[in-house]
Amino acid sequence: MARIIWFCWSLWLPLLAGARPPVLVLPAADTALRVWPYAELLEDPTQRLSLQEVMAQQQPSAFSSTVGRSTQLGFSPADYWLRFRVRNDDVGSDRSWVLHIVYFFANQLTLYLVDETTGLVQERHTGEGTPMSAWDMPYQEGALQLKLHPHRTYTAFLRLAGNNSKSFIPMIRERPVYHNFIQWGTYWLAIYEGILLFSIVIQLIFFGFTKERNFILYALYILAIAFTVVQSGNGLPGEVYFWPDNDWLNRNGMVLSTAFFTSFGLTFYANGLKLRIYSRSLFWIFCGLEFFVLLLTALVLLDIVTINATQYTMVSALSFLILILLSSLVSLVRGFKPARYYLLATLSFLISLIILSLWHQGLIRIDFLTSYCIPIGNLSELVFFTLALADDYRRTQRHERESQQQLIETLREQNEQITEALLNGQTLERQRVAADLHDNLGTTLSSLNWTLQAIDTRKLSETERTVYQHLTQQVNQAYTDVRLLSHNLLPAELEKRGLPTALQLLFSKLNRNKAIAFTLDLPQPPPRYDRQTEFEVYSICLELANNILKHAQATRATIALTDHNGQLLLAVSDNGVGLAPADEPGKGLQNVQARVTALGGTWAVESEPGQGTVHRITVPVRTEARVA
């Protein structure tokens, strides 16, 4: 709120007598004018000088020129008085002006505008606002109204007070231009905050689906950035909209936001850069810095330690950036490819800080991009972080797939070894059983046959002779069956020449029995398959042939073997009595089912009473089949 204070001409005369700065004439065009090159600066180490005392300073050295001097006045506890002269030569009375203090750091800003013609003084303070329609601009912008009558020269005294860092860029804008500038800045900041909040939601969704810790840490880091913007950002400050009456948060907001930003940032970077793997020493440095920041923050909040908030923020940010750059380079050099995105993210934020510093020094002109270089740098960070997380997630998924594939391959090899060992064991057992049948039971039956041959049938009665003949036939049949079983249980041809040849030999022996005519249909040229397939299929054929011989009452049987598109097709048919629907599968058919299952195949049976039976078996075979 403006207040007009009348001063005695006796207070104004000393000022007129001393050296005064050049007059800044406001242009007719709508533009922004830098005040700094036209101003003079007075340092007040006592923090006690009043306006009257400042105006009474007559020594030429009291006020020093700002030409060549930085707008960053440092962390001195002294107050500073900025003096400049301004005149509005526009005859239009409808134009109004605003002294816009950009990026200022000070506890208090006070403007005294002295009319050199009348001696009237206008006094303005930050926080009073600059009315535009029905709302006031937030005081963080440092907007102070300038009521300038046409063709009058004014001397302005701007006082920066407080123990904090003092930095500011004073500019004069026409009020509508300023309002438009701030309004666009407010829209931009709202979009910026919206992007941050949207990014947080997206990261939480990703975390819900993937359970990757990187996403939740990234969400916390973005939340810390959002809190920093709310606490100190232009247009939507926390002190105006979120906690206007909370003195504790207003006083400690910068310390809290720095602690959150540094702590969550260090945790996110340490996890994202995989420092536990690529540099454990840097990881422990991260932990130490994070612990120090949290401890110092706690001491400040408990009023045990007094610290300059701005200096604390700058030192923390600088240490943070240097450590992140070093860690990104180390992880990248040691083979972690996503570290390049973390490096680019850090560099983008560092570049935004450099642009801000150059702007403060007056080395680059002010525009929208320079005014909002920090949010733009943060958004660039978000883009690179997203690329880093996506790249890391893809690498993790690829590594998991490769590990899973290696595990599957290992299990497959182990399964093959187990199958091979089982097959070897079955082979040895079959060899042993075949040898026992041939050597023991075969020998016993042969001896029994020779003993029966030694009996003089002439001394036997007719009934005894009939029994003798039946007994002799049974012994001979048993001996033949044992020989056939021992030879076919594991024929040597199966190992040496493969399945087709072994089947040819088997059914040539079976065709010696004139009761059933077996027909064998084999592919040409006869292929070779892996040992397990040949062993199991041979056993299936032997079992089905034995079932035909014992139960089918058939006169013809056909065994057809074909190889088509990596599938081995076996069809065994007969013209026997068929299978009754109520028949339970015997032990032999159960063995067939077990062998088909072991090969990963299928088995279908077509049978009608009196119409014979067809067995259709399909099993996969290895593509590396070889021709015998």
Side-chain angles (χ1 to χ4, degrees):
M1 179 184 295
R3 292 188 307 168
I4 300 179
I5 305 174
W6 290 87
F7 283 86
C8 298
W9 281 97
S10 59
L11 297 178
W12 180 241
L13 291 176
L15 176 62
L16 297 176
R20 294 182 292 177
V23 178
L24 176 62
V25 180
L26 299 182
D30 297 336
T31 185
L33 293 178
R34 280 182 175 267
V35 175
W36 192 256
Y38 300 89
E40 295 177 331
L41 195 64
L42 170 67
E43 183 176 358
D44 175 19
T46 65
Q47 298 183 331
R48 296 177 181 177
L49 290 179
S50 64
L51 174 63
Q52 294 87 345
E53 292 172 329
V54 171
M55 292 172 61
Q57 297 289 331
Q58 299 186 46
Q59 296 84 357
S61 60
F63 278 90
S64 59
S65 175
T66 57
V67 177
R69 183 164 182 174
S70 172
T71 59
Q72 298 185 16
L73 304 178
F75 299 94
S76 170
D79 290 351
Y80 285 90
W81 290 80
L82 187 72
R83 183 177 72 178
F84 62 93
R85 301 175 70 205
V86 61
R87 184 173 70 247
N88 177 18
D89 282 349
D90 192 354
V91 297
S93 59
D94 57 341
R95 299 184 71 187
S96 59
W97 303 85
V98 171
L99 179 63
H100 184 196
I101 312 299
V102 186
Y103 274 98
F104 77 88
F105 289 96
N107 296 104
Q108 182 181 0
L109 276 176
T110 305
L111 173 66
Y112 302 97
L113 193 62
V114 182
D115 189 334
E116 295 185 5
T117 302
T118 64
L120 295 179
V121 179
Q122 303 174 40
E123 182 177 350
R124 290 289 184 183
H125 301 272
T126 51
E128 295 176 353
T130 57
M132 186 183 75
S133 299
W135 57 285
D136 291 345
M137 301 306 298
Y139 78 90
Q140 272 79 0
E141 290 298 330
L144 303 167
Q145 291 189 80
L146 295 176
K147 291 186 177 181
L148 305 175
H149 296 285
H151 301 295
R152 288 191 185 180
T153 302
Y154 295 83
T155 301
F157 294 88
L158 184 64
R159 177 174 178 263
L160 286 80
N163 296 320
N164 209 335
S165 171
K166 297 176 181 63
S167 175
F168 67 110
I169 301 177
M171 308 189 69
I172 296 179
R173 299 174 185 268
E174 192 172 4
R175 193 169 73 180
V177 177
Y178 165 75
H179 286 161
N180 184 65
F181 177 84
I182 294 302
Q183 195 167 30
W184 276 106
T186 302
Y187 294 154
W188 159 250
L189 196 60
I191 294 173
Y192 176 42
E193 286 283 358
I195 293 174
L196 292 179
L197 294 178
F198 178 75
S199 300
I200 292 173
V201 173
I202 292 299
Q203 302 312 315
L204 293 177
I205 292 175
F206 285 163
F207 174 73
F209 279 104
T210 64
K211 306 303 179 186
E212 287 285 335
R213 186 172 56 177
N214 273 1
F215 292 110
I216 193 66
L217 293 177
Y218 186 31
L220 291 174
Y221 182 53
I222 299 175
L223 183 63
I225 295 176
F227 177 73
T228 302
V229 174
V230 168
Q231 188 277 326
S232 60
N234 297 337
L236 288 176
E239 298 178 24
V240 172
Y241 296 100
F242 294 97
W243 49 84
D245 299 322
N246 193 317
D247 293 335
W248 187 86
L249 273 178
N250 291 340
R251 185 174 65 256
N252 298 300
M254 184 176 291
V255 175
L256 282 175
S257 62
T258 301
F260 290 155
F261 179 82
T262 306
S263 179
F264 289 140
L266 288 172
T267 304
F268 168 65
Y269 270 102
N271 188 78
L273 291 172
K274 302 288 191 285
L275 292 183
R276 280 182 177 269
I277 300 174
Y278 294 99
S279 178
R280 294 189 65 86
S281 58
L282 283 174
F283 172 78
W284 289 115
I285 292 175
F286 270 59
C287 293
L289 180 58
E290 184 174 351
F291 175 77
F292 173 76
V293 169
L294 293 176
L295 177 62
L296 184 59
T297 302
L299 295 176
V300 171
L301 296 179
L302 294 174
D303 293 328
I304 299 175
V305 173
T306 302
I307 191 172
N308 186 298
T310 306
Q311 191 172 16
Y312 166 68
T313 301
M314 294 180 63
V315 172
S316 298
L318 183 61
S319 303
F320 178 82
L321 288 174
I322 293 176
L323 191 56
I324 294 304
L325 285 174
L326 176 62
S327 302
S328 300
L329 287 172
V330 170
S331 294
L332 182 61
V333 169
R334 296 184 179 181
F336 185 57
K337 297 301 181 182
R340 63 185 184 273
Y341 295 114
Y342 290 95
L343 181 62
L344 291 174
T346 308
L347 288 175
S348 65
F349 185 67
L350 183 60
I351 290 173
S352 67
L353 291 179
I354 294 174
I355 292 174
L356 179 62
S357 177
L358 293 176
W359 177 34
H360 278 199
Q361 300 296 329
L363 300 178
I364 57 177
R365 67 183 182 86
I366 182 172
D367 55 21
F368 181 83
L369 293 177
T370 53
S371 298
Y372 294 95
C373 58
I374 295 298
I376 293 173
N378 281 336
L379 290 181
S380 301
E381 272 192 309
L382 297 186
V383 172
F384 288 121
F385 286 152
T386 302
L387 293 175
L389 291 178
D391 191 17
D392 189 22
Y393 182 71
R394 285 195 299 267
R395 287 168 56 87
T396 301
Q397 292 296 105
R398 184 169 64 248
H399 177 71
E400 289 180 355
R401 287 195 299 269
E402 292 175 352
S403 299
Q404 193 173 35
Q405 187 62 35
Q406 290 178 356
L407 179 60
I408 293 174
E409 189 67 23
T410 301
L411 292 176
R412 187 185 65 80
E413 293 177 357
Q414 292 179 349
N415 186 58
E416 288 182 352
Q417 293 173 359
I418 294 173
T419 302
E420 183 71 17
L422 180 62
L423 187 60
N424 290 335
Q426 291 177 343
T427 301
L428 292 175
E429 184 63 17
R430 282 181 172 239
Q431 289 175 347
R432 186 187 65 79
V433 171
D436 288 346
L437 288 175
H438 183 275
D439 297 340
N440 297 328
L441 186 57
T443 302
T444 300
L445 290 175
S446 179
S447 299
L448 181 59
N449 186 44
W450 281 106
T451 300
L452 291 174
Q453 293 292 335
I455 296 176
D456 189 358
T457 57
R458 292 174 298 176
K459 297 180 180 180
L460 299 177
S461 63
E462 188 66 26
T463 302
E464 292 174 339
R465 190 176 294 112
T466 301
V467 172
Y468 173 80
Q469 290 176 352
H470 284 296
L471 182 60
T472 302
Q473 290 176 356
Q474 290 176 352
V475 170
N476 288 334
Q477 184 62 41
Y479 179 72
T480 301
D481 291 344
V482 167
R483 279 181 55 83
L484 182 65
L485 181 61
S486 64
H487 289 166
N488 293 326
L489 193 61
L490 188 66
E493 290 81 4
L494 183 62
E495 283 284 340
K496 294 179 182 178
R497 304 177 62 184
L499 177 64
T501 301
L503 290 177
Q504 287 175 340
L505 293 175
L506 170 64
F507 287 105
S508 65
K509 294 177 183 178
L510 292 179
N511 280 330
R512 295 172 187 173
N513 181 355
K514 301 300 182 179
I516 301 179
F518 286 93
T519 301
L520 185 62
D521 185 8
L522 298 174
Q524 296 297 328
R528 288 298 303 268
Y529 306 103
D530 61 276
R531 287 185 60 196
Q532 183 183 9
T533 300
E534 291 189 335
F535 177 79
E536 299 291 358
V537 172
Y538 180 85
S539 300
I540 291 171
C541 292
L542 184 61
E543 191 65 57
L544 292 178
N546 184 57
N547 197 64
I548 293 172
L549 288 170
K550 289 184 177 180
H551 308 294
Q553 301 177 26
T555 59
R556 295 190 309 275
T558 301
I559 294 87
L561 193 67
T562 57
D563 190 347
H564 180 69
N565 291 334
Q567 299 285 330
L568 180 62
L569 309 178
L570 174 65
V572 179
S573 60
D574 64 71
N575 64 346
V577 297
L579 298 176
D583 287 349
E584 291 290 334
K587 184 65 177 176
L589 295 183
Q590 292 178 5
N591 289 338
V592 171
Q593 181 63 63
R595 295 183 187 279
V596 172
T597 302
L599 292 174
T602 59
W603 176 29
V605 181
E606 302 172 6
S607 180
E608 293 288 339
Q611 299 298 320
T613 303
V614 179
H615 300 270
R616 301 185 188 278
I617 297 172
T618 304
V619 296
V621 293
R622 295 189 178 181
T623 56
E624 60 267 22
R626 60 190 185 278
V627 178

